[in-house]
Structures are given as C-alpha cells and as structure tokens.
Amino acid sequence: MICPLCEQGDLFYAIIKGTTHRIIVCPECDAAWTHIENANQLYNCSTIEQVLLGYNLDNSWKNLIVNDRVDS
Ligand SMILES: [Zn+2]
C-alpha cells in the first residue's frame, strides 16, 4: 500500500522495540499510524518521532522493528 501522505513510499508494519505495539510507518516521509486500521485515513496520522517520544524513545529507526509491507 502506497503512503496516502507522500504517495511515494510503501507502508510497512513495525513494532516499537520493547513493546508489543504495532504501528504502520512510511519510510519515505516518516508518517506513522498508531491504529493500524486507520492507515488509509489521513487523519489520525502521526509521525515516527511523535510516536517514539510517547514511549520515551529516541527518534531513530533502531527503535522500530520493521516487518511486512502493508497490502492494499
Ligand atoms: Zn509517506
């Protein structure tokens, strides 16, 4: 599934390191959706930085375990 924001990157499922919280991220524009059913909705969009900050984690891809590409 192509990111609805930048329309360039593919969306991927990712797990926040040290948690079981699964989110959707765009590696291209760093958009993040914390509710995976909302990835095709522009609202509810956050950024990877904001999400990681909420877990007291640095804004780094090292804090994400990236999994499968999101099917459309
Ligand atoms: Zn994007």
Side-chain angles (χ1 to χ4, degrees):
M1 177 176 172
I2 297 289
C3 173
L5 278 191
C6 66
E7 299 184 332
Q8 290 185 32
D10 273 315
L11 297 180
F12 288 85
Y13 293 109
I15 292 173
I16 298 163
K17 219 169 217 177
T19 79
T20 56
H21 194 169
R22 197 158 80 136
I23 62 173
I24 285 176
V25 296
C26 171
E28 205 65 44
C29 67
D30 285 1
W33 287 263
T34 52
H35 295 90
I36 60 176
E37 65 273 19
N38 289 338
N40 55 357
Q41 300 169 7
L42 288 180
Y43 68 90
N44 263 328
C45 176
S46 186
T47 65
I48 291 169
E49 181 178 19
Q50 285 177 323
V51 172
L52 290 174
L53 266 177
Y55 288 87
N56 283 321
L57 294 168
D58 292 334
N59 180 24
S60 165
W61 282 88
K62 281 184 296 188
N63 289 320
L64 293 173
I65 301 160
V66 179
N67 290 325
D68 299 335
R69 194 182 302 255
V70 178
D71 293 326
S72 41

